[in-house]
Amino acid sequence: MEINFTHHQTAHCENGVISNLMKHHGFQISEPLAFGIGSGLLYCYIPFLKVNHAPALTYRAMPGFIFKRFAKRVGIEIKREKFKNPQDAKARLDQNLENNNPVGLQVGVYNLVYFPDEYRFHFNAHNLIVYGKEQDRYLISDPVMETVTTLTEKELEKVRFAKGPFAPKGHMYYPIAFPEKLDIEKAIIKGIKHTCRDMLAPMPVLGVKGIRHVAKLIRKWPKKKGVKVANHYLGQVVRMQEEIGTGGGGFRYIFAAFLQEASGILNNPKLADLSKEMTVIGDLWRDFALDASRIYKNRSAKEDAYNNVASQLENIADKEEAFFKKLKKAIK
């Protein structure tokens, strides 16, 4: 069972699954377009949820939300299934492959044997595509990998039923119906409005307020938690920003690419200007990550290092607040 499927590498897994599945079905949807229409950009601090013994922090919408929003806005239908036992999950996957239908899966990263060791940790919101099977090996298109790969039945079962936060429970999903033409223009506007609403939300842990909240915490962590724990927490902030398939800068570069593409589709030059502005903000996130990494790797030569990176975050929050207010006006 091998479907005639073309693998395209992308910066982030869920965007990549959307883009690759849409291309397979004849719709040329880029990764940035999938991300922007699905309102993927976010900043949210989730202190009650621990990932790797540190408070969770996300730069993107919750797993599955990007595809759900994208599908609704462009007018396609998707089917989602979760399973109580691996046998049913395997049977449904095999049935789809026999019907020449590649499917997206949510999996845990820790036991993905083709990942480098440094990227294998307990994170259960990774996405990939299965597009075939040869004997007992499934053919895998993981969008963040350069080439296709394979997993044995046991290896795939292990990652599909990983335990912990966001446990996938065999989660599989795939498009089942398409309109004759995707309503891209309206979808882009809805996606941008939703992102502006999230990033300018009045909640203390969400959007630009969430960025400022984390900056305040960073100033407190060394005294309140001790240097060892503070370093671990800071490492979590950077890892979620730079390593969890974000394309760097906490998805800011992908969002900038989306605005550039949207500018042409909507014939709105303001979006092209804002794309450049978001790229500069992405660079500021990168600078923050570099300075923060020097702290938790004990290589920072700066005095008052924690306050320094906290100030960088506060500056980013100010720039993002101004940016999203301008973006909101640009698509009225």
Side-chain angles (χ1 to χ4, degrees):
M1 295 184 289
E2 181 172 359
I3 299 164
N4 184 17
F5 181 87
T6 303
H7 170 83
H8 301 273
Q9 187 178 18
T10 60
H12 174 250
C13 62
E14 189 172 346
N15 308 327
V17 167
I18 299 169
S19 177
N20 276 316
L21 286 178
M22 293 301 291
K23 286 175 180 175
H24 177 75
H25 289 284
F27 298 93
Q28 292 304 307
I29 297 294
S30 68
E31 176 185 12
L33 206 55
F35 181 69
I37 288 174
S39 302
L41 191 78
L42 189 66
Y43 188 95
C44 188
Y45 178 69
I46 316 169
F48 55 84
L49 177 65
K50 295 291 191 291
V51 177
N52 296 308
H53 310 290
L57 190 145
T58 183
Y59 294 77
R60 52 155 289 185
M62 290 293 106
F65 277 29
I66 300 174
F67 203 174
K68 182 179 179 181
R69 292 167 181 166
F70 172 85
K72 184 178 180 181
R73 288 168 185 165
V74 302
I76 68 171
E77 288 182 50
I78 53 175
K79 184 175 179 64
R80 296 184 177 279
E81 296 178 83
K82 289 190 176 183
F83 304 89
K84 290 184 178 179
N85 69 72
Q87 292 76 26
D88 290 343
K90 177 181 176 297
R92 289 293 290 130
L93 174 59
D94 288 351
Q95 183 183 358
N96 272 279
L97 297 178
E98 286 169 5
N99 291 334
N100 211 38
N101 187 37
V103 300
L105 298 182
Q106 179 188 338
V107 299
V109 166
Y110 188 74
N111 288 301
L112 276 181
V113 293
Y114 58 80
F115 262 29
D117 287 347
E118 60 268 26
Y119 288 103
R120 291 172 61 182
F121 64 102
H122 295 286
F123 178 73
N124 290 331
H126 188 61
N127 294 267
L128 52 80
I129 293 170
V130 180
Y131 68 94
K133 189 178 183 184
E134 291 177 352
Q135 296 176 335
D136 76 331
R137 298 194 76 88
Y138 286 99
L139 308 180
I140 307 294
S141 167
D142 189 319
V144 302
M145 303 300 287
E146 189 175 349
T147 59
V148 294
T149 186
T150 64
L151 290 171
T152 66
E153 290 180 354
K154 286 294 181 187
E155 287 167 347
L156 186 60
E157 179 183 311
K158 202 166 187 179
V159 296
R160 291 186 76 187
F161 286 87
K163 307 296 184 185
F166 303 117
K169 299 176 183 176
H171 183 196
M172 62 186 285
Y173 54 92
Y174 45 93
I176 56 172
F178 302 88
E180 286 185 23
K181 184 177 181 292
L182 304 181
D183 195 352
I184 296 296
E185 291 84 356
K186 284 184 181 178
I188 288 171
I189 292 170
K190 286 180 181 177
I192 290 174
K193 284 183 175 179
H194 189 135
T195 299
C196 291
R197 199 161 57 244
D198 281 348
M199 290 304 297
L200 297 171
M203 296 173 63
V205 295
L206 191 64
V208 295
K209 285 187 179 292
I211 299 171
R212 292 192 181 106
H213 181 68
V214 171
K216 288 178 184 176
L217 291 176
I218 288 173
R219 295 186 192 278
K220 296 176 183 177
W221 281 341
K223 285 185 179 178
K224 192 173 180 181
K225 301 290 184 182
V227 172
K228 186 177 180 181
V229 172
N231 281 353
H232 180 61
Y233 282 12
L234 193 58
Q236 172 95 315
V237 174
V238 173
R239 171 175 266 187
M240 300 309 288
Q241 176 188 318
E242 293 295 329
E243 295 182 11
I244 311 302
T246 70
F251 293 99
R252 269 57 185 172
Y253 296 125
I254 297 177
F255 192 71
F258 161 65
L259 292 178
Q260 181 68 43
E261 191 170 348
S263 172
I265 294 170
L266 298 179
N267 192 25
N268 185 340
K270 290 179 183 176
L271 297 182
D273 293 337
L274 286 166
S275 169
K276 294 173 186 173
E277 190 173 327
M278 179 49 75
T279 300
V280 173
I281 292 172
D283 291 341
L284 294 177
W285 278 108
R286 274 276 170 90
D287 293 342
F288 160 78
L290 183 61
D291 289 344
S293 68
R294 286 179 180 138
I295 295 172
Y296 65 76
K297 292 176 181 176
N298 296 315
R299 289 207 295 264
S300 177
K302 297 178 182 177
E303 293 182 10
D304 207 13
Y306 276 90
N307 283 328
N308 179 277
V309 293
S311 295
Q312 286 177 259
L313 268 191
E314 287 162 348
N315 178 49
I316 288 169
D318 291 344
K319 291 191 181 303
E320 291 211 352
E321 183 174 15
F323 171 87
F324 284 106
K325 285 178 178 177
K326 283 187 278 187
L327 180 58
K328 188 177 178 182
K329 287 181 182 178
I331 45 103
K332 276 188 177 180

